Amino acid sequence: METTIYYKNSISFSTYLALGSFAIGTLLLVLFKLFPREEYILFIGFFYVLFAILLNSLVLLNLFYQFIIQKIERETIAIRILILLANIPIAILYFFIVIKI
């Protein structure tokens, strides 16, 4: 029972983390576009990206672990992994947008 609760919570957290990372990254990009001369936004964004990479990587490792252990729920976990990984091309796109300014 405890394993099931942990599994459900980690799956839910991964989705919220992916959506939250996307929302915060988008907010920082919009702020940077609105105020391109404000260097502190760029500074905050840089450290946010480092923190997001660390946290998302840890959650991704947990999802891979759950994928190996939970044989019945592999399809659901694979979808959550893809949702989490979808932030990578978005972050690269945002990086190129910032560099062009």
Side-chain angles (χ1 to χ4, degrees):
M1 169 118 174
E2 186 175 315
T3 307
T4 305
I5 293 171
Y6 173 74
Y7 160 72
K8 298 282 184 194
N9 288 339
S10 66
I11 296 299
S12 297
F13 179 73
S14 68
T15 304
Y16 293 133
L17 178 66
L19 294 174
S21 295
F22 172 73
I24 294 170
T26 302
L27 176 67
L28 286 170
L29 178 68
V30 169
L31 286 173
F32 184 73
K33 293 289 278 182
L34 289 174
F35 308 106
R37 301 284 182 226
E38 301 294 334
E39 293 180 7
Y40 68 90
I41 296 173
L42 193 61
F43 182 75
I44 291 170
F46 174 74
F47 283 105
Y48 167 72
V49 168
L50 292 178
F51 178 73
I53 288 172
L54 176 67
L55 188 59
N56 282 303
S57 297
L58 291 173
V59 171
L60 184 63
L61 287 174
N62 180 40
L63 285 174
F64 282 136
Y65 175 73
Q66 294 293 332
F67 185 81
I68 292 168
I69 291 178
Q70 303 286 339
K71 296 183 192 293
I72 297 172
E73 297 291 327
R74 282 194 175 165
E75 184 177 344
T76 304
I77 298 170
I79 291 169
R80 304 304 170 132
I81 289 171
L82 291 174
I83 290 171
L84 196 60
L85 290 176
N87 280 329
I88 294 172
I90 294 169
I92 292 170
L93 174 67
Y94 287 1
F95 174 74
F96 284 122
I97 291 171
V98 168
I99 292 301
K100 290 210 176 210
I101 290 180

